[in-house]
Amino acid sequence: MTFLGMPLLRSKHTDVNDLPGGQGNIVEDESFATVSHKHLSNQQLRNNIGHATSTIRDKRSGVVAELDDWEELREAGSRAKNQVMANLPEYLEEFEANFTAAGGIIHWARDADEANAIVTELVEANAPVLETGRREVIKVKSMATQEIGLNEHLETQGIDAFETDLAELIVQLGDDKPSHILVPAIHRNRDEIRQIFMDKMPDAGELTNDPAVLAEAARRHLREKFLTTKVAVSGANFGIADTGTLGVVESEGNGRMCLTLPETLITVMGIEKLLPSFSDLEVFLQLLPRSSTGERMNPYTSFWTGKTPGDGPQNVHLVILDNGRTRALADEHGRTALNCIRCSACMNVCPVYERTGGHAYGSTYPGPIGAILSPLLTGVETEENGSLPYASSLCGACYDVCPVKINIPEILVHLRNEDVEANHSPVSSQLDTALTGASWMMGDGKRMAAAEKGLPLAHAVSGGKSMNSLPGIAGAWTSSRDIPGLPEKSFRQLWAEDEDRDEDRDENGEDET
Amino acid sequence: MKIALFATCIVDGMYPEVAQATVTILRRLGHEVTFPSGQACCGQMHINSGKFEQAEPVINNHVRAFTSTEWDVAVAPSASCVASLGHQQPMVARRMGNEALATAAADVAGRTYELSQLLTDVLGVTDAAADLGSYFPHSVTYHPSCHGMRLLRLGDRQSDLIRSVEDIEFIELPLADACCGFGGTFSVKNPEVSSAMLADKARTIQATGAEVCTGGDASCLLHIGGGLSRFQRTGRFEGTPDVTAVHVKETSATDIGGDHTEHLTAVVGADDDDHLTAGEHGTSPAEPSQMQSGLRVGASTVHLARILASTKEDPLRVQSEGATVSGGSLR
């Protein structure tokens, strides 16, 4: 029994805005400029992110430079994902058939609410009620479950979810949100982590801020959970259509424990995570770790195909999640954003992310990919998601490092156009007015020339002095930058004068400029 | 060769001396320069603001101006504008349903070069001193603009030309490939983030001690100059919280030949030990961001065309030689 709003990819009559948008933690509730203001003054955040991203950036460049076929790998990765997106319904059915044949059970979820409800039901059916009157599940780090706010939902249903990835654990115990895809607690320092552990892990006792001590405390705290908890919840990095296999790549080994020790395994995976064939992993297992952690190979790579008698969980479920992905897929200028394999390379090179941190993006998906993915999943009309595509200087660093060649700058510009079309701010801003005037002027060289005739006057009025404080929208410029005094004449005028002079004399010798 | 100059709107209206320098260089090489009089702008400002509809007449005007003029190749002293011609104009025209304009725009774009591209790839200039008589006896650092680096893939074309100027002292800019924060309307839509990026760019430039910072895009140089000027006038970076993670250190190394050389390296962020001393939720800066070295006379920006056009007979003067610096730009 399969239901899914199948991607209406080939229909010319599909208006992307008629498709349901995603819900959950993918919504910016204040404009990016407003939220980023709160984070720009945080020196610790700036230091932590600066240090972490520049370190990972260097590691990444090192391991990428080792491969002389890196560009071909990127091309192959991009091709494989495009192939999936262009034939998603077929690949989803193929995956479902193979996963089901291997003893797995598939559930389809249109949105965050449906996915949360399905997982809740499965946990209630498979996890015992403990003495505390509550149920427990252990979790592998997963973006999809962050996106749908699964932990928060489960909590209201009497189910405690324990994050087992160290950084996710720090975030969870601190009642916090991740600020980076790969390094979710990047905004925290050791002292804060020590305090969080002392407050929230009563069995940990007295701790120092030594990373080894902190890691050991987390390990002890989690070990018991691994051995006693009956249900685990995971995400998936890959779903392999031709075999029905799911895969998770990780560094710590906690994922491997969650995927193998409990009786029941529930995985939540977005519809876009599919790869056509097992052999595609050859490409992706090179692209992902090198782009993500800057490693040649990640320490733990786990695959499972339904259930294996006598080995690992015998009750294996997969919730396949749409939550706005069909909407994103229907956007022909934005759909390649779904090719993202969540490596985080784009945020590690982004000069905006480096200064604002991940929380400024209001979404599980921060940085450049978040600035396109969140509005693609929800539509630019949702809350302030229309402000996200402007959170970029379009420097292009993200596109250069993307392992699946998502042209993020071009999609940002496309979404700005969507935002303009959706008429997000009905009140025309000074900037809009200025741009409208400039379009009229620059739509004709003659009008531009006429406008420049005002330069001598403007030059005379301003005394050719630099401009250091201007009102209105120009004040946003002069908040930090001076402007040179206007020249007396435009180049166009100087050229015309030269030409007039040249006509009066023979051309000989050099130009006097 | 008959070369059409696309001055770009910012150079035409704000920096006519950059267009003049471009003309000088090309004439010195014996080429004929024309200036298609209908030209105005590439449309990038509108495109990057998402205003495709308003960009269409601007694109149309550019294509009309250049197709109605005879020329072999066109040149612009801006990587960003040249990139916009090829990477954006056809895309936007197509989005507006104007296939004919898209084709025509792609044709003009295909024959339009950024200045260093034209000099290196088409005109075969490899040594500015020998081929152009370029002479500039000053210390210079260089900011490679994002669109030149990542859209046009200029590589070392610009810096190689600058390094080959006679008597120039080229100082490598730490974190050179970091964006200056301009980004067109990004600078006014997200002014605080933009200013934070600018402040770090200004810090690294200031740390080189170079007399001028050059580059191939007048827009980035306007932005950077504006930040340098503000800092030099007020002694601080404004428009954004006084926070930075960029620290420039001087390190020395001994080369293979036994020469002792000084290098500037930038360290971004604090390493883990620094966390021990971080304050409460860390809203106060770890150290004052003001440059201890004080203000340098002549730390201004200037387009590389003017350095290439500078000769012994007609040298480009810097501030210490009495030249005017306005808003951080060398006039």
Side-chain angles (χ1 to χ4, degrees):
Chain A
M1 196 201 65
T2 298
F3 167 77
L4 181 73
M6 282 299 174
L8 301 163
L9 196 57
R10 294 191 188 85
S11 166
K12 288 207 162 75
H13 306 291
T14 309
D15 183 348
V16 64
N17 293 313
D18 295 341
L19 294 168
Q23 353 157 308
N25 296 323
I26 45 176
V27 177
E28 180 84 311
D29 48 18
E30 289 176 285
S31 78
F32 183 81
T34 308
V35 196
S36 60
H37 170 80
K38 297 172 194 161
H39 301 284
L40 280 168
S41 56
N42 188 334
Q43 179 68 53
Q44 176 188 308
L45 180 77
R46 197 81 69 89
N47 278 345
N48 290 10
I49 291 184
H51 179 64
T53 58
S54 67
T55 307
I56 303 178
R57 209 151 55 201
D58 290 348
K59 278 180 75 182
R60 181 203 160 272
S61 324
V63 295
V64 161
E66 292 174 352
L67 299 181
D68 49 19
D69 62 346
W70 181 253
E71 287 309 314
E72 285 91 331
L73 280 169
R74 288 178 78 210
E75 191 53 46
S78 165
R79 245 193 337 258
K81 289 307 263 189
N82 286 340
Q83 164 81 4
V84 170
M85 298 314 153
N87 303 281
L88 195 51
E90 290 81 1
Y91 282 121
L92 283 168
E93 286 182 6
E94 185 186 357
F95 179 88
E96 181 183 38
N98 288 324
F99 188 81
T100 308
I105 302 159
I106 290 204
H107 311 261
W108 298 91
R110 257 177 294 216
D111 53 30
D113 286 349
E114 281 192 10
N116 285 331
I118 293 166
V119 176
T120 305
E121 216 171 286
L122 289 170
V123 174
E124 283 171 348
N126 294 287
V129 177
L130 304 178
E131 284 170 10
T132 55
R134 298 177 67 83
R135 299 177 212 269
E136 290 186 351
V137 297
I138 48 174
K139 282 193 71 204
V140 188
K141 179 169 160 23
S142 139
M143 303 309 300
T145 59
Q146 285 284 0
E147 173 188 324
I148 61 176
L150 179 66
N151 293 3
E152 295 76 6
H153 176 79
L154 291 179
E155 196 178 346
T156 66
Q157 305 299 305
I159 301 163
D160 295 321
F162 292 89
E163 293 290 349
T164 63
D165 173 85
L166 180 55
E168 287 287 356
L169 177 69
I170 294 165
V171 167
Q172 186 185 33
L173 293 179
D175 290 326
D176 203 353
K177 289 200 166 175
S179 65
H180 189 283
I181 288 178
L182 175 73
V183 215
I186 195 170
H187 52 289
R188 293 291 196 186
N189 70 22
R190 289 195 225 164
D191 293 327
E192 290 174 301
I193 295 166
R194 171 178 170 270
Q195 200 54 53
I196 291 168
F197 280 10
M198 302 250 298
D199 292 346
K200 299 290 176 69
M201 300 191 322
D203 49 338
E206 190 62 30
L207 298 172
T208 69
N209 63 10
D210 180 0
V213 171
L214 295 172
E216 181 60 19
R219 191 173 288 129
R220 285 176 190 283
H221 173 74
L222 292 172
R223 186 58 53 102
E224 194 209 325
K225 296 285 173 210
F226 287 132
L227 294 171
T228 56
T229 309
K230 304 290 179 204
V231 178
V233 176
S234 86
N237 291 97
F238 309 106
I240 310 297
D242 71 351
T243 58
T245 303
L246 291 171
V248 163
V249 297
E250 44 136 359
S251 298
E252 296 174 13
N254 61 298
R256 174 72 55 83
M257 301 233 222
C258 291
L259 298 169
T260 52
L261 292 173
E263 293 165 5
T264 298
L265 173 59
I266 307 164
T267 301
V268 181
M269 177 183 82
I271 54 172
E272 83 285 17
K273 291 276 141 198
L274 293 186
L275 290 178
S277 143
F278 203 82
S279 60
D280 289 310
L281 289 169
E282 179 227 334
V283 171
F284 285 89
L285 290 181
Q286 292 187 73
L287 287 174
L288 182 52
R290 285 178 200 256
S291 300
S292 182
T293 50
E295 294 169 299
R296 297 187 183 101
M297 180 50 92
N298 51 288
Y300 295 87
T301 303
S302 307
F303 292 110
W304 65 104
T305 305
K307 61 180 175 184
T308 306
D311 185 17
Q314 294 300 302
N315 186 17
V316 178
H317 295 263
L318 173 65
V319 182
I320 299 185
L321 175 73
D322 187 321
N323 204 35
R325 285 159 176 78
T326 298
R327 190 195 179 287
L329 186 60
D331 183 336
E332 62 169 314
H333 304 290
R335 65 170 64 122
T336 52
L338 293 176
N339 294 2
C340 173
I341 55 172
R342 312 283 189 260
C343 72
S344 73
C346 63
M347 56 204 75
N348 293 333
V349 296
C350 177
V352 174
Y353 176 89
E354 187 180 333
R355 289 167 179 84
T356 65
H359 290 157
Y361 295 80
S363 165
T364 297
Y365 307 108
I369 187 64
I372 59 172
L373 197 54
S374 308
L376 280 167
L377 292 173
T378 65
V380 289
E381 318 74 32
T382 300
E383 300 277 335
E384 292 294 330
N385 273 8
S387 74
L388 289 172
Y390 299 96
S392 166
S393 64
L394 304 177
C395 82
C398 48
Y399 182 26
D400 264 15
V401 298
C402 178
V404 287
K405 297 180 80 166
I406 302 169
N407 190 337
I408 296 176
E410 196 170 284
I411 299 178
L412 285 165
V413 169
H414 158 66
L415 290 168
R416 290 177 187 187
N417 179 242
E418 294 269 289
D419 178 58
V420 168
E421 303 274 301
N423 205 8
H424 216 46
S425 56
V427 185
S428 176
S429 73
Q430 277 189 9
L431 181 62
D432 290 334
T433 312
L435 284 169
T436 305
S439 167
W440 179 80
M441 182 178 80
M442 291 167 166
D444 187 340
K446 288 199 198 81
R447 291 197 284 256
M448 178 99 165
E452 287 167 359
K453 291 223 170 78
L455 272 176
L457 179 64
H459 176 84
V461 169
S462 64
K465 293 259 165 46
S466 76
M467 291 166 280
N468 306 328
S469 173
L470 293 174
I473 185 71
W477 176 276
T478 56
S479 66
S480 65
R481 318 137 179 117
D482 294 343
I483 305 179
L486 295 169
E488 211 166 337
K489 288 173 181 172
S490 69
F491 175 74
R492 189 190 309 269
Q493 289 166 307
L494 293 168
W495 178 270
E497 288 173 9
D498 273 359
E499 282 208 319
D500 290 347
R501 222 176 297 134
D502 286 350
E503 276 171 22
D504 297 338
R505 62 163 196 221
D506 285 338
E507 258 188 74
N508 54 0
E510 289 203 335
D511 183 83
E512 292 297 317
T513 53
Chain B
M1 201 181 278
K2 197 166 183 178
I3 301 173
L5 173 66
F6 170 32
T8 76
C9 62
I10 187 166
V11 163
D12 179 25
M14 209 64 181
Y15 296 100
E17 60 271 25
V18 173
Q20 288 175 314
T22 306
V23 173
T24 301
I25 293 165
L26 298 174
R27 286 190 178 155
R28 208 178 279 160
L29 289 166
H31 300 287
E32 187 190 340
V33 182
T34 64
F35 180 77
S37 60
Q39 66 177 277
C41 170
C42 64
Q44 184 176 189
M45 188 165 64
H46 292 94
I47 298 169
N48 287 353
S49 301
K51 297 180 184 281
F52 293 178
E53 208 174 313
Q54 292 184 351
E56 194 185 358
V58 182
I59 297 168
N60 194 47
N61 177 72
H62 181 79
V63 172
R64 194 172 52 212
F66 280 78
T67 36
S68 63
T69 309
E70 270 189 38
W71 44 275
D72 300 313
V73 293
V75 68
S78 161
S80 193
C81 307
V82 171
S84 178
L85 301 188
H87 288 257
Q88 296 189 317
Q89 286 195 352
M91 179 272 288
V92 172
R94 209 158 279 136
R95 290 286 291 274
M96 300 311 296
N98 196 337
E99 197 59 42
L101 181 61
T103 310
D107 175 60
V108 172
R111 296 186 290 142
T112 305
Y113 294 82
E114 180 274 338
L115 179 59
S116 74
Q117 245 179 353
L118 180 75
L119 290 173
T120 312
D121 300 357
V122 182
L123 305 179
V125 174
T126 51
D127 185 329
D131 300 336
L132 297 168
S134 311
Y135 168 79
F136 191 63
H138 301 282
S139 56
V140 171
T141 193
Y142 159 72
H143 168 69
S145 296
C146 301
H147 294 171
M149 261 190 303
R150 304 196 184 93
L151 289 174
L152 295 187
R153 302 283 170 195
L154 292 181
D156 296 329
R157 286 176 182 81
Q158 293 184 339
S159 57
D160 282 352
L161 285 170
I162 299 162
R163 284 172 194 273
S164 68
V165 170
E166 190 177 350
D167 283 356
I168 204 164
E169 188 198 342
F170 188 97
I171 305 170
E172 206 70 65
L173 179 66
L175 303 175
D177 62 357
C179 175
C180 73
F182 175 50
T185 47
F186 171 72
S187 61
V188 291
K189 288 215 178 216
N190 282 287
E192 288 187 306
V193 186
S194 166
S195 299
M197 290 159 70
L198 173 63
D200 285 338
K201 182 56 71 179
R203 281 182 180 99
T204 51
I205 291 171
Q206 204 70 34
T208 65
E211 292 172 83
V212 298
C213 172
T214 192
D217 271 278
S219 50
C220 311
L221 296 173
L222 167 80
H223 185 241
I224 295 170
L228 288 171
S229 168
R230 176 62 55 89
F231 173 70
Q232 287 163 8
R233 277 197 308 111
T234 65
R236 60 205 179 88
F237 296 108
E238 296 181 342
T240 195
D242 190 12
V243 166
T244 185
V246 172
H247 310 275
V248 182
K249 288 181 183 171
E250 208 161 302
T251 51
S252 51
T254 308
D255 294 345
I256 301 165
D259 288 340
H260 204 61
T261 50
E262 299 290 320
H263 292 281
L264 290 173
T265 10
V267 178
V268 185
D271 69 23
D272 218 30
D273 289 338
D274 295 336
H275 294 165
L276 299 171
T277 56
E280 282 182 21
H281 208 58
T283 42
S284 65
E287 63 176 64
S289 61
Q290 291 188 19
M291 301 297 303
Q292 302 301 319
S293 49
L295 308 185
R296 283 191 179 80
V297 174
S300 53
T301 57
V302 67
H303 193 283
L304 60 85
R306 298 184 65 208
I307 293 179
L308 295 178
S310 171
T311 57
K312 277 185 181 151
E313 295 72 38
D314 186 14
L316 169 67
R317 298 190 192 287
V318 296
Q319 193 171 18
S320 60
E321 298 169 326
T324 305
V325 168
S326 179
S329 294
L330 188 64
R331 282 302 189 187

